[in-house]
Every structure is written in structure tokens, then in C-alpha cells.
Amino acid sequence: MNEQRAIQAASSTGNYGQLPFRFMRLDTGQVLVTSEAGDFHVLDPSTFAAFARREPLADGNTLRGLEAKHLLYKTSPETAVRLLATKLRTRKSFLRGGPSLHIFVVTLGCDHGCHYCQVSRRLHSAGRYDMSLETAAAAVDRLFDSPSPHLTVEFQGGEPLLAFPVIRRIVELIQARNVQECRQIVFSITSTLHHLTDEILEFMRIHDFQVSTSLDGPADLHDANRPLPGGSAHELTVQGLQRARQALGDESVSALTTLTRRSLERPKEIVDQYVRLGFRSIFLRPLSPYGFANKSERRLGYAVEDYLRFYKTALSHILEINRSGYLIEEAYAKILLSSILTPFPTPYVDLRSPVGSGFGTLVYNYDGGVYASDEGRMLKEVGNDTLRLGSVTDDFQTLMRSPAMELLAASGLAETLPGCSDCAFVPYCGPDPAGSLSRHGDPVGHRAESEHCQRHMGLFRILFNHLAEGDPATLGIFEDWVHGVPSVAKAA
Ligand code: SF4
């Protein structure tokens, strides 16, 4: 909304004037009211009705609370709107730097046969699906074309460690170039950790790698989800975890779950396995609708309500564990709560508006294709190249002005999308053009049939219900998650 329109919208009546707001009734019966910039207030229904009708509010505390949250003004609408605009600029400040997350898909090769694989992996076959060194060098040039002062370089596959020489070359090129560029660069890798060697671990230690692996829960569940010919994937991952922690430190090694239908029956066991293995964070991630996962969705997939039921139980269990003294965060809740409870932009590109694809993320595929997101690359693997921006040999301007980016710009602002524009959760949410393309064939999609929307609507409701209930212990745990209290130090 431009400043002039917002000032008109803030025309005063009674003892205050309204600023733009959205609202939603919570399970507690209270009404959540959110501002354009993501501040929120929870009102009882009669107070909300009075506020919505712009009737005078008898309670001075409520009036002051709504004013502090940029939901009304008492004196100058111009000043109120200017303050609101400043907060909105802060929340959207991720737009200033251009793409900062750069994903290098160094190989499609993998020796696993995961039923839900999201990346359309190929059986490892002598480097046939590895990134060439020429492609790697061109991708590094595109990385430095991005104006962002902070760059995260993430290596993915397939199993990226099967192409370690390519990773090493990319890191060497980046480090050499960065002597002049002086960017802040973080290296990360998503790997099964089955192919770690002393040489790889030493290389990761020198370059401060952040390591993420997949751990689906207890051994039988993990191995059923991730069959490995001739062995136990769980056993090898746990061995890899121990080696990686020893070499890089506990804080540099994390894991995330992929939840299949059989996982949903075991929320507590999955959480307990993470605690048993000493993790301080668990990411309860649902099945992705992309890549091979799409084909096996009927067999492994589930309804959003089933996921949300699972999530609610698992989150309650995690809160109980925290109350009993072992500090462990749920990463999805932490991401959403950080948007809700702080004025800062979300680092999570999947929930940015304008969309994180392309504007926040670029993906360099093993074959030289450049995609707006990992999901865009997965769509290409199943025959849909709508989100392919071009090639690593194209210059940055060409990639950023490609038809794919035009499509994302036109469909990637949640505040303008049907359904989202009226949603109380839109300040913390983002659009899902890749998911809409995958499921509906167009990037705008239909919110009522969108898994992304239903999932986030449900997750936001769960968290806002907790916030509205106001249990001090739960609020304290949420604050710790958001403000990153060092869990190990605090537990000591
Ligand atoms: S995707 Fe759904 S939950 Fe998110 S803002 Fe849009 S309508 Fe709201």
C-alpha cells in the first residue's frame, strides 16, 4: 500500500484512527489482529468488534497496545504511517542485496533408493551426472555477480560427497576470488555423511562448513524410508554424525526429518531419537511434492490435516522435554516465531514475499542450468522447465531478466494474491509459485487447494494459539528459540 492510500485508510473517528489491519479468529475464541508490518495484538471478540467499527475503546491499555503495534493512531496519521513504512522496510530489507543463497548441485549421483527422493537422483554411475569443472567455474562467476555482501554457498546432490573433487574446486575458486571481493561467505552441505573421509573432514574444518544430514527417526523407520542396498542407512548416518561432530563441533552439524505416512504414527519416537543422539534442534519437515516424490506421493503422502495432527503432538512433546530441562528447538516453529516475534526479515527463503525463488536464491544444476529455486530444478527433472532462468554462461542481467523471473515477479508477491491479500498471516508467509506450478499448472494457484497454504495456515494457528493462551513456560521456550539462547550453555 502506498503512503497516500494508507493515510486515507487511516482516517480518524472517535478517539483514534485505524491503520490497515487483517484479522483471524483463534481457537481460543479471541481475535488475532495483524498490522501491515507484522506486529500483532490479540483481542477479545467484543473489543475487536468495537475496534473494527472504529468505536471508542474504553480500556486505555488496549488503546495504547494497538497504537504501539501500528494498528491505530491517536494524533498524526502521517507520522503513524511513516513509522509503519519504516517497519515494513526493515521486514523486507532482504530485497536490497539480491540472491544470497547459491545452491550448487554438484551431482545427481546417489547410492540410496529413497522412496520419496526430492531430487530425481540417478544411481551413481562414474561421474556421468557430475558438474564439469568448466560449469563449476562459470557458476562461481555468477555467484560473484550477485551484489549481496553475504553469500551462502550450499552443496547438494544427489549425494554431493560423491563429487567431492568438484566441491573442492568450487571452494578453491571462491576463496581465491574472495581475496578481492571480501564478501562474507558461509559454506554448507546437505549429505547422508556416508562418504566422509579424513581428507573431506579436514577440508570442511578448514573452510568452516555447516553440515546438514537427514535423519528420519528410529533405525527401523529411517531404514524403511531410505533403503540402502546391502546395509543400514541409519547406522552409517549415525557413524557419520559422530565423525562430523568430532571434526567440526556439535554446533556445525544438524539434521532434518522427512516425514512419510509411516512417520506420522510415531511423533514422540522421532523426537526421542533426536534427543538420544544429542541434537538440540529438530526440523519436522513434511514430504515435498517435487521430483520423484511426486510420483510416489500416493503411496507415501498424506493429507495436510494428518501432518498437522502429527506436528501438534510432536511440538507438545518437544515443549515437555524443554520443560523437563533438556533444551531442544523445533526448527520450523523457530522460523515462523522469528517472523512473528521480531521485526526482522526472515532468513528462510521459502517464506519470503516477494518470493525467495530467484530474488533470494539461485540454483546451479550439474548440467549448467540455472534455476530460481531447488523446487524449480526438481520440476525440470520431471519435465517442466518453467523456472529455468538460463545457463551458467549467461550473464547475471540476462538471468535476472529472464521470462522465468518475470513470471515470479508477477506471481510472487503474497500481499497481492487472491486469498493471501486478506489473510492475517500474510506478514509472516510467502507465496509458492513452484508448488502451484507443480500441482495446478500455473504459478498463482488456488489457496483453498494449496498444500503450502493449508500447512502454513495450520502451523500459524498452532503457534498463535500458544501465544494467545500465554502459558509463561511455553512463551519462555519460544523466546529462547527465537533469540538463540545457546542451548548447551543454558543447559549447563
Ligand atoms: S499462503 Fe495461505 S497462510 Fe500463507 S498468507 Fe496466503 S492465505 Fe495465508
Side-chain angles (χ1 to χ4, degrees), residues 1 116 120 146 215 279 376 424 427 448 470:
M1 174 175 293
Y116 51 67
S120 304
S146 171
L215 186 79
F279 282 104

Side-chain angles (χ1 to χ4, degrees), residues 40 47 60 107 136 149 220 266 277 282 303 402 405 414 431 485:
F40 74 93
T47 307
T107 182
D220 65 305
R266 304 171 68 177
L277 289 171
I282 179 169
S402 60
M405 286 304 293
V485 175

Side-chain angles (χ1 to χ4, degrees), residues 105-282:
V105 181
V106 290
T107 182
L108 279 194
C110 185
D111 48 1
H112 276 56
C114 304
H115 298 307
Y116 51 67
C117 182
Q118 298 173 23
V119 298
S120 304
R121 52 91 184 97
R122 303 282 189 272
L123 288 178
H124 190 45
S125 52
R128 191 167 152 216
Y129 295 102
D130 291 358
M131 183 180 272
S132 72
L133 296 185
E134 294 74 34
T135 297
V140 169
D141 287 341
R142 300 294 79 75
L143 165 80
F144 282 106
D145 285 346
S146 171
S148 178
H150 306 282
L151 299 169
T152 297
V153 176
E154 184 173 312
F155 295 103
Q156 284 194 13
E159 169 47 58
L161 289 184
L162 291 174
F164 177 67
V166 184
I167 294 175
R168 182 167 47 205
R169 183 67 189 138
I170 290 170
V171 172
E172 287 167 356
L173 286 171
I174 290 172
Q175 296 290 38
R177 176 94 176 259
N178 204 37
V179 172
Q180 259 101 50
E181 296 275 353
C182 299
R183 313 279 186 103
Q184 263 190 353
I185 298 179
V186 173
F187 294 106
S188 71
I189 188 166
T190 304
S191 164
T192 60
L193 306 180
H194 293 192
H195 300 275
L196 286 174
T197 62
D198 291 343
E199 181 201 0
I200 291 174
L201 283 168
E202 178 59 7
F203 181 83
M204 287 180 175
R205 191 190 61 75
I206 290 168
H207 297 287
D208 275 335
F209 266 65
Q210 296 293 311
V211 174
S212 173
T213 192
S214 295
L215 186 79
D216 288 358
D220 65 305
L221 179 61
H222 185 97
D223 288 340
N225 282 346
R226 298 176 173 264
L228 181 66
S232 160
H234 182 270
E235 196 180 317
L236 291 176
T237 293
V238 171
Q239 283 169 13
L241 267 173
Q242 283 160 354
R243 293 188 71 191
R245 281 171 168 171
Q246 243 168 18
L248 310 173
D250 287 3
E251 300 298 319
S252 298
V253 185
S254 62
L256 45 82
T257 59
T258 299
L259 303 166
T260 58
R261 193 183 290 170
R262 56 170 84 88
S263 311
L264 298 194
E265 294 156 17
R266 304 171 68 177
K268 293 186 179 176
E269 288 171 68
I270 293 170
V271 174
D272 290 346
Q273 179 70 348
Y274 270 67
V275 172
R276 228 181 337 264
L277 289 171
F279 282 104
R280 299 291 179 168
S281 178
I282 179 169

Side-chain angles (χ1 to χ4, degrees), residues 444-462:
V444 171
H446 184 217
R447 243 46 69 213
E449 293 167 14
S450 156
E451 185 274 341
H452 169 89
C453 174
Q454 290 165 19
R455 171 168 26 116
H456 288 103
M457 189 78 80
L459 292 172
F460 282 122
R461 289 192 82 91
I462 290 170

